[in-house]
Amino acid sequence: MVKRTTISLTEGEIKQLKELAKEEHRPISRQIVHMMEIYKKHHKEK
């Protein structure tokens, strides 16, 4: 089951997120998850 959440981003942040998702050929929601995974991996390495 997929749960929904709401996040608040500025117009510039939304534009940046959409550009990243487009460059990496992912839906916006998957791009957010992808970035969280990268953060967690990087954070563990420190």
Side-chain angles (χ1 to χ4, degrees), residues 7-21 28 31-32 35:
I7 59 172
S8 298
L9 301 171
T10 65
E11 192 172 319
E13 292 166 337
I14 291 170
K15 182 179 177 186
Q16 193 174 21
L17 178 59
K18 286 180 178 181
E19 288 172 358
L20 282 171
I28 293 171
Q31 184 65 31
I32 293 169
M35 290 186 300

Side-chain angles (χ1 to χ4, degrees), residues 1 3 8-9 11 13-14 23 26-27 31 40-41 44 46:
M1 182 171 152
K3 294 195 177 204
S8 298
L9 301 171
E11 192 172 319
E13 292 166 337
I14 291 170
E23 285 177 23
R26 290 186 184 91
Q31 184 65 31
K40 289 189 308 189
K41 180 181 176 187
K44 284 182 182 179
K46 287 187 173 185

Side-chain angles (χ1 to χ4, degrees), residues 27-40:
I28 293 171
S29 58
R30 291 298 310 152
Q31 184 65 31
I32 293 169
V33 171
H34 175 72
M35 290 186 300
M36 286 190 308
E37 290 170 355
I38 290 172
Y39 173 82
K40 289 189 308 189

